[in-house]
Amino acid sequence: MSASSENCLEVLAVAADSAKLAAFERRSFLRTGGIAAGAALVGLVARDAAAQSATPPTGPRQQMALVRRHENDHVAFLLNGLGAAARPKPTFQNLLQPNLNAFLTVATALENTGVGAYLGAAPAILDPGYLSAAASIALVEARHAGFFNSFRSKPMTLNAFGMELSFDAAFTPSQVGGAAGSFIASLNGGPPLDFSNTRSAANDVAILNYALALEYLEADFYNVNVPLFYGV
């Protein structure tokens, strides 16, 4: 993964920790639209790219630590943007894996499911800025999926249904729910993993909350298992 991509995600984490930037991004994301938030993000990335040029180590431990950090950064970014409109965090189950092979198998499935989920939601997004933000996350999810596929000696573009494709397949909300459902004990009053195919401002928020549920799942999965199997 490039240094600029990692710097981008580091900026998202810093923004999530800053009360001032959090208030600004919520106003940009939900009141003036995703384009303003995207422009602000580009400025932050450019600022930090000049200051951080070192390439981190890329062994398995470091790669797993990066994947874990990316997913937590995605959660922070979506929470930051949604503000009071963010869904409650679901309660998850069955996250702890019994061995390394099981962890890698589930990680591969989750990442490939995430890629299909974002691709399936993209045509229903109204705001171009929201589409850009979702695409930015989706591309990192795709890099994760290719990494795990290759790490397990599978074709790098093998999707969650075991199909090797030149053009990735979009997943419906029901397919995503079927893949992720066994890990969700309760949505805790939050919206279902669903959205409308009719574009609207309200549907954009529904899609971001749909994405947030998946990012919560991935982040918690790695928070439980990466320290166990990789010590980071």
Side-chain angles (χ1 to χ4, degrees), residues 20 29 42 55 69-70 85 92 95 102 115 122 150 152 161 170 193:
K20 183 176 180 180
F29 220 78
V42 168
T55 300
R69 193 191 77 202
H70 296 164
F92 299 113
L95 296 184
V115 172
S150 299
R152 299 181 64 234
F161 296 126
L193 298 183

Side-chain angles (χ1 to χ4, degrees), residues 141-164:
E141 298 290 333
R143 294 179 186 188
H144 292 173
F147 164 71
F148 279 109
N149 284 341
S150 299
F151 196 73
R152 299 181 64 234
S153 300
K154 306 289 184 181
M156 65 180 176
T157 55
L158 200 71
N159 72 6
F161 296 126
M163 299 183 292
E164 194 286 310

